[in-house]
Amino acid sequence: MSAHSEHHVVPVKVYLAIFGALMVGTALTVFVAQFNFGVLNVLIALTVACIKATLVILFFMHVAYSSRLTKVVIGAGIFWFAILIFMTITDYRVRQDWHVGLGSLEKPAAEQPAAPQPSGSGH
Amino acid sequence: MEIAAQPAETQEESVNYLNVNHTVKSWLLTLDHKRIGILYLLSISLFFLIGGIYASLIRLELVTPRGDLLTPEMYNRVFTMHGVIMIFFFLIPSIPATLGNFLLPLMLGAKDVAFPRLNLLSWYIFIIGGAMMMYTLVSGGIDTGWTFYPPYSSIYSNSQVTLAGVSIFITGFSSILTGLNFMVTIHTMRAPGLTWFRMPLFLWGMYSTSLIQILGTPVIAITVLALAFERTLQIGIFDPKLGGDPVLFQHMFWFYSHPAVYIMVIPGMGVISEIIASMTRKAIFGYHFVAFSSLAIAVFGFLVWGHHMFTSSQSMYQGLVFSLITYAVAIPSAIKTFNWVATIYKGSVSYDTPMIYALAFLGLFTIGGMTGLFLAAMGLDIHLHDTYFVVAHFHYVMVGGQIIAYLGGLHFWWPKMTGRMYSEIWGRISAVIIFLGFNLTFFPQFVLGYLGMPRRYHAYVPEFQTLHVLSSAGASILALGFLMPGIYLTASLFFGKKAEANPWQAYGLEWQTASPPPLENFTYDPVVTHEAYDFDSVKEIQEAREKVAVTA
Ligand SMILES: [Cu+2]
């Protein structure tokens, strides 16, 4: 891998092929947007977008030809972003359950508007 | 270390990085990491002074229970500007950008950092961001608290939130570039023989810090930018009416801002390792554990941010996980603390100024860290959240930990940076004054917070006055303590006696070259042949160098 790290010349053909793939991805996104897949709408759009981004990173940004260390750094960036998304989304998922759970524990009295939670700040 | 040398010592006084050129232009366009370190030192000292003036205003206001010195609006601006300036413009750049810039290539045996131009660029970006923040300050200031929480910051605040956000966005790039530069330098420019596990622990600290700077800072940059867009264009990320969520801001903000605590404190820990090793003449106990604990803090520090959000609408289950990981992340810090103490044990300890700072660090950082565990307990946090207990806790970490370590490091490497010795007696006196003043300022705040004094209030019930007066009295002692190094260190530049290459008889490549170092750091090509902190070899190395210098 590291042998490739210096001044790798990418043939124009590769760039054109990637460009073509990106255009196909764009067309696909526009095409599927005309149908309603329900919850899958966002999933499909994001999947196509992620594939396109991966192609850009690997070929246009030359990561496919870079040293292993560069790949680790980029992988770490993506992994860290995944931590941010994962733990934030988890909050939204289980936050809902907790309010529902609390509701079922209480007497089935008339719906009370939840008291506004003070949102403070830490250090 | 062996030396393939030229006769360096004979012309020691002649050319060094300071006297090589005196023009202003040579400073403003310098690519020398040492000069860039000095430029940072001057700029952050200015910001520290400004942040300190705001701190004094806060403590003056709180001497009396009634808010009679500042209007509430003004008080909000004062504590916000204190926090923003101290955190983004002093604490975060302090050790990496000054001591780190100066020392990292020297400790590696390199001529400079990997990207000298990028290094200078990062200083200019810092200055542009800082200038914007100064403009923010005089054109109305900001009143949101340094945490910028919406919806107040996005909808209601009438202050310069957008401008401040953009200024922090810009400054962030300076931090990212410094981190990137250091990381590449450590990977690629270590001297022959300097393996990863022979590196001084300061460099392990700098490496871990760079990791956080590179992985975390982009998130705060995009967060404050999103806030700026929210304010100006109502794009609806944080506004529930438009489908957004204010708590999302807290998630994004703390994803960076908790690790940012470690950007501030890990370099401090690195400094403490160097000082303790040199001042006890012992290798740091459990070198590998101390090295890896820096990395562990850097990585696991990213998984605990929700402990700032226990009283928000964050899920309780999520809170439990964040609480648990927060307890776990205390372990590496504890490992370091125990290892430092084990290093001091039976060492031949000299109580020079840097060591006084290091000992102060051990005590104060332990208090700061342990009270963090109080706050990580979800139940107790409900009581303590947003009180002066939190304020005391993070000042024990930030001032008692980071600033104390920074000052210790500044004194330790001052002879190397300037070629002059400061007055040792004044150094010790001011270190003790800072220690006493600090405790008098912040210890009463633990009690105040426990009793229910909320933070960010400019007026309070009369029962709290005694403790507030104690705190303000401590603050004036602390301010005096901080002014003293400014005076005697400056005086040492003119009247101090000339420093030898290795005034502490310390181990490490930076002590092998002249004080101040020559333009390209070394007059020979350094080779490392010993493990880190091998103090028995210091004399041997020195004699070998002298022999080469004489025979050459
Ligand atoms: Cu935190």
Side-chain angles (χ1 to χ4, degrees), chain A residues 25-34:
Chain A
T26 309
L28 189 69
T29 313
V30 174
F31 177 69
V32 294
Q34 298 170 33

Side-chain angles (χ1 to χ4, degrees), chain A residues 1 4 15 20 29 31 41 49 61 71 80 82-83 86 88 98-99 108 115-116:
Chain A
M1 274 297 124
H4 290 264
Y15 285 132
T29 313
F31 177 69
N41 279 336
M61 293 169 74
K71 285 181 180 136
W80 252 253
I83 295 176
F86 175 75
T88 304
W98 138 246
H99 286 297

